[in-house]
Amino acid sequence: MKHFLDIVDFTSEEIQGLLTLASNLKAEQKKGESRPLLKGKVLAMVFQKPSLRTRVSFDMAMRDLSGDALYLSPNEIDLGKRESIADVSRVLSGYVQIVMARVFSHQHILELAKWSSVPVINGLSDYNHPCQAMADALTIYEEFGSLKGLNVSYIGDGNNVAVSLMKVVTKLGANFRIANPEGYDMPEGDIELGKEIARENGGSVTLLHEPQAAADGADVIYTDTWTSMGQEEEARKREQVFPPYQVNQALLGLAKPKAIVMHCLPAHRGQEITDNVADGPQSRLFPQAENRMHAQKAVLVDLLLGGDPDAK
């Protein structure tokens, strides 16, 4: 059974194929020519964490391709508490054709996939966020035509978004830089894996603590919230540590003239990013958010149909 749990489960060629498919599906939608590729297919959306983008983008992705989506709130399942994850997975497999889950613990997504007889998509876990990474890659691909040789600089916490961003851009040959405060690094194992992926694809991974060094000559500057969901008790401490890592006009001025700014949202304006950057001409925050839907359409079609049937 093919699932979508982690960027590293896919080859560089497969990732590029998904981007091409996403771009084609997006163009078809813009022209009002979306095909009913997923007619008769139902996606179950399992949520432990709330989300604007994940829920609406998956729902609309299925609708655009003539499929259906079923939302299951945290209280309806209470995953792993009211009922075992193994039982939930097997029950859902009998009702729907594909499952997306947005969870706290990465172990929960692995458990769902283990027991499922239908494809499972990782809509976010505490470890990674591969759906966001695909939208990020699509946004950069649309802007530059290729990721090969680009300098993609992430400023902030080495969180789940940073991990998946590193994996996808190095799979596509970009140079990934991350500038974060000491003690807020990505996991060591993922850093080593990222470096290995980069070597295989002609890119690099650079670890920094100075945001100015990461921004210097960047093609893409990416940031995220200082405090992720589940870290609320650390918020006050983080608000004292992270201000030097704010993406503002001065920092953006160090990047290349045609650099773009990205953020997975929701943004805490005035903290990790300023209004004049988030709403400025180099911002791609909202095309990036829209691309969640288009990138996920490609993932859905790939998992359910093995790729675009008209391209074979």
Side-chain angles (χ1 to χ4, degrees):
M1 179 56 59
K2 186 177 182 182
H3 303 295
F4 189 78
L5 308 180
D6 192 327
I7 292 296
V8 297
D9 297 333
F10 294 79
T11 66
S12 299
E13 292 73 22
E14 287 171 330
I15 294 292
Q16 185 58 58
L18 285 171
L19 293 183
T20 301
L21 176 56
S23 183
N24 292 340
L25 293 172
K26 180 176 181 177
E28 289 172 8
Q29 185 194 53
K30 296 297 183 183
K31 292 187 289 186
E33 298 174 357
S34 295
R35 289 170 287 157
L37 295 175
L38 300 184
K39 187 174 183 180
K41 308 292 186 184
V42 178
L43 166 72
M45 302 188 295
V46 178
F47 282 81
Q48 284 186 324
K49 290 183 173 185
S51 174
L52 167 64
R53 278 152 295 280
T54 298
R55 179 177 178 181
V56 178
S57 62
F58 268 108
D59 195 326
M60 294 307 298
M62 289 299 292
R63 292 189 193 198
D64 184 57
L65 299 174
S66 300
D68 290 296
L70 176 66
Y71 171 71
L72 297 164
S73 71
N75 293 334
E76 287 173 293
I77 294 183
D78 203 8
L79 200 63
K81 295 181 181 178
R82 193 172 69 86
E83 191 169 2
S84 76
I85 294 172
D87 287 358
V88 169
S89 184
R90 287 177 286 190
V91 167
L92 286 176
S93 295
Y95 294 146
V96 302
Q97 287 70 53
I98 189 165
V99 174
M100 183 281 298
R102 180 177 169 91
V103 300
F104 283 99
S105 170
H106 191 65
Q107 190 58 41
H108 288 179
I109 203 79
L110 297 179
E111 189 85 355
L112 276 171
K114 175 182 177 180
W115 294 100
S116 179
S117 58
V118 301
V120 172
I121 297 173
N122 179 359
L124 174 139
S125 72
D126 60 350
Y127 168 61
N128 65 352
H129 199 348
C131 289
Q132 181 65 55
M134 290 304 302
D136 299 340
L138 179 60
T139 305
I140 299 169
Y141 175 65
E142 288 178 333
E143 188 74 27
F144 297 100
S146 170
L147 278 76
K148 195 78 174 174
L150 294 181
N151 297 322
V152 179
S153 295
Y154 180 96
I155 313 291
D157 186 28
N159 61 15
N160 50 0
V161 170
V163 167
S164 289
L165 179 68
M166 174 185 66
K167 290 176 181 178
V168 79
V169 301
T170 52
K171 281 273 185 183
L172 298 169
N175 303 310
F176 178 79
R177 307 168 178 171
I178 179 169
N180 57 271
E182 291 188 27
Y184 295 90
D185 309 296
M186 292 187 295
E188 184 61 35
D190 290 297
I191 292 169
E192 293 308 311
L193 179 57
K195 289 179 177 179
E196 181 181 334
I197 294 170
R199 283 193 296 269
E200 292 171 355
N201 295 285
S204 64
V205 171
T206 304
L207 310 177
L208 301 161
H209 291 304
E210 303 78 26
Q212 292 79 13
D216 186 25
D219 296 287
V220 178
I221 292 182
Y222 196 122
T223 192
D224 190 11
T225 179
W226 296 340
T227 305
S228 299
M229 239 182 290
Q231 299 173 333
E232 286 78 10
E233 71 283 355
E234 301 177 28
R236 183 168 296 179
K237 179 183 177 183
R238 286 171 175 260
E239 287 169 7
Q240 295 172 344
V241 171
F242 278 89
Y245 295 81
Q246 181 185 77
V247 174
N248 51 38
Q249 204 63 53
L251 193 71
L252 181 56
L254 300 173
K256 291 181 181 178
K258 294 186 178 180
I260 61 172
V261 176
M262 300 175 66
H263 190 309
C264 60
L265 300 178
H268 296 81
R269 291 164 176 259
Q271 289 191 357
E272 72 270 10
I273 193 167
T274 58
D275 282 339
N276 59 355
V277 172
D279 299 324
Q282 291 169 270
S283 171
R284 297 296 180 272
L285 272 63
F286 300 105
Q288 179 187 358
E290 181 187 338
N291 278 340
R292 283 289 302 274
M293 175 175 62
H294 303 299
Q296 288 160 190
K297 281 191 289 187
V299 171
L300 289 161
V301 169
D302 183 63
L303 293 179
L304 287 169
L305 304 180
D308 187 347
D310 290 354
K312 297 179 180 179

